[in-house]
Amino acid sequence: MTFNIKELLLGTTTAISSIIVFWLWHNVTPKIIAGEFQNYTDFLWPVFGLIVAAVFFSLSALFIKNSRIIYGVGIVGISTPFLFVEATPTAVAILIFSLFLIVVAIRRIRQELHLSLGFSVQKILKAGIPLFFSISSLLIATYYLATVTEEKAISAILPKSVFDITLKVVAKPLEGISGLQLDNAEATIDEVLTKLVEDELKNQNILLPQVTKSELKRLVSQQREQLAKNFGINLTGNEKLGDVFYNSISLRAKSMLGPYKSYVPYASAIAFFLAFKTFTLPLYYFSMLITFVLIRILITLKILKVEKEQIEVERLTL
């Protein structure tokens, strides 16, 4: 059987681009889990690459007529990136489901192309490209699940940034319970406890100049030991107040979960999948626009030809 060299070239490029893009996402996923977003260029290439992969997939699904090539390209392009993670039962199950979805996506695009009387990029591709981005989200969520720990999963469910905002809102009520001033979460434990000890001495009508530095240090140390006992953690005094409260709540949550804590990474991965799927929405529109423009350019360069075809349609009549 002979194959069209253009179709082979497009299919090979599509499969390779998909593998490279997901390799980039595999490498950047640990940084997402760690919250290391300072260097935005680390995420720029994976995001841009995902758009490129979607464009190549769209072109292949539209213009590769040989079903063996296009379905082979879809299967290779999606299954190979799963080799980057350990073959756990969960990963294998997601792989099988992803292969099913990629076949469905290709089939829906080809059916829509065959049944359409005209050629509308948006109408044809919307039948399958959303599934491509769903598969991408599943695959990257698999990388997330393979990397995240129980502690990181709990942190992902309760992000530190959200906790800091919440702490500012409930600072006053918590001050009455803890006895600590929580208006400055960036202050160290010793700074907060020093202020607490000084206020207590003033309430006892003891002048601060009468208290030696060593005595003040001893009182702060006692308060720190009591605080460490209350929170069930070790304290050196240099920890930030917000971090201490956050870590304490994370430990309490972990202890409350008990035997169910092993399921936390799965819950976190599901939340990550839903968040990433939402993130791909603008990428979907970008890929559609780029595909449309690229098709117009290929027509202008006469790489793509415009041909008229007659199609027989069956109708039911009385």
Side-chain angles (χ1 to χ4, degrees):
M1 179 182 291
T2 58
F3 295 101
N4 186 311
I5 188 64
K6 291 182 180 179
E7 291 186 359
L8 281 174
L9 183 60
L10 177 57
T12 302
T13 304
T14 300
I16 292 175
S17 67
S18 178
I19 294 170
I20 292 175
V21 166
F22 289 120
W23 176 77
L24 292 173
W25 277 107
H26 174 263
N27 290 341
V28 82
T29 299
K31 294 184 178 181
I32 296 176
I33 295 174
E36 298 175 0
F37 300 104
Q38 296 84 354
N39 191 358
Y40 70 93
T41 55
D42 293 340
F43 304 92
L44 188 61
W45 284 112
V47 171
F48 176 73
L50 192 57
I51 297 175
V52 172
V55 171
F56 274 116
F57 174 76
S58 301
L59 294 175
S60 294
L62 287 170
F63 301 116
I64 295 180
K65 295 181 179 180
N66 191 305
S67 59
R68 292 187 179 183
I69 295 178
I70 181 56
Y71 284 111
V73 165
I75 291 172
V76 171
I78 293 302
S79 61
T80 304
F82 276 91
L83 296 176
F84 302 150
V85 296
E86 184 181 352
T88 62
T90 302
V92 173
I94 295 175
L95 166 62
I96 295 172
F97 185 57
S98 298
L99 291 177
F100 169 74
L101 289 181
I102 197 67
V103 170
V104 171
I106 295 171
R107 186 171 181 272
R108 290 179 64 178
I109 292 175
R110 289 166 66 87
Q111 280 186 335
E112 187 65 36
L113 177 64
H114 177 71
L115 296 175
S116 296
L117 297 179
F119 187 87
S120 171
V121 173
Q122 181 181 3
K123 180 183 178 182
I124 297 172
L125 291 183
K126 73 178 182 180
I129 292 300
L131 280 178
F132 173 83
F133 282 109
S134 295
I135 296 166
S136 302
S137 301
L138 274 174
L139 184 48
I140 297 169
T142 304
Y143 296 156
Y144 178 94
L145 181 61
T147 307
V148 72
T149 61
E150 292 178 1
E151 290 75 12
K152 288 293 184 180
I154 293 175
S155 299
I157 295 175
L158 180 62
K160 181 65 165 56
S161 56
V162 175
F163 175 81
D164 289 340
I165 296 173
T166 305
L167 185 61
K168 291 180 180 179
V169 175
V170 299
K172 290 299 180 182
L174 284 178
E175 285 180 7
I177 299 173
S178 64
L180 300 175
Q181 290 187 348
L182 305 177
D183 55 340
N184 184 12
E186 293 298 314
T188 65
I189 289 296
D190 275 4
E191 289 174 346
V192 174
L193 292 179
T194 299
K195 181 67 168 59
L196 177 65
V197 170
E198 290 176 350
D199 289 342
E200 289 181 352
L201 292 174
K202 289 179 181 178
N203 292 335
Q204 297 175 15
N205 295 322
I206 299 176
L207 299 177
L208 292 179
Q210 297 176 350
V211 182
T212 62
K213 290 184 178 180
S214 59
E215 178 65 15
L216 182 62
K217 187 176 181 180
R218 186 186 65 82
L219 293 173
V220 170
S221 179
Q222 288 179 347
Q223 292 288 342
R224 189 194 318 123
E225 291 175 1
Q226 183 60 43
L227 186 65
K229 183 179 179 181
N230 293 340
F231 281 110
I233 56 177
N234 294 323
L235 294 174
T236 64
N238 296 322
E239 300 88 351
K240 292 182 179 180
L241 183 63
D243 293 340
V244 170
F245 269 84
Y246 181 76
N247 293 334
S248 176
I249 291 176
S250 297
L251 288 173
R252 294 288 177 88
K254 186 177 179 180
S255 62
M256 289 174 62
L257 289 169
Y260 301 103
K261 63 183 179 182
S262 59
Y263 296 103
V264 174
Y266 293 93
S268 180
I270 292 172
F272 177 83
F273 164 77
L274 295 174
F276 194 88
K277 186 67 176 69
T278 304
F279 168 75
T280 61
L281 183 61
L283 304 187
Y284 162 75
Y285 289 107
F286 275 122
S287 64
M288 294 276 279
L289 177 61
I290 294 173
T291 302
F292 174 80
V293 173
L294 193 56
I295 289 174
R296 292 299 175 187
I297 293 174
L298 293 175
I299 293 174
T300 302
L301 297 176
K302 300 188 183 302
I303 296 175
L304 289 176
K305 295 179 294 183
V306 178
E307 295 180 351
K308 293 183 178 181
E309 295 181 352
Q310 289 185 347
I311 301 175
E312 294 184 358
V313 179
E314 292 184 355
R315 302 288 188 188
L316 296 177
T317 59
L318 290 175

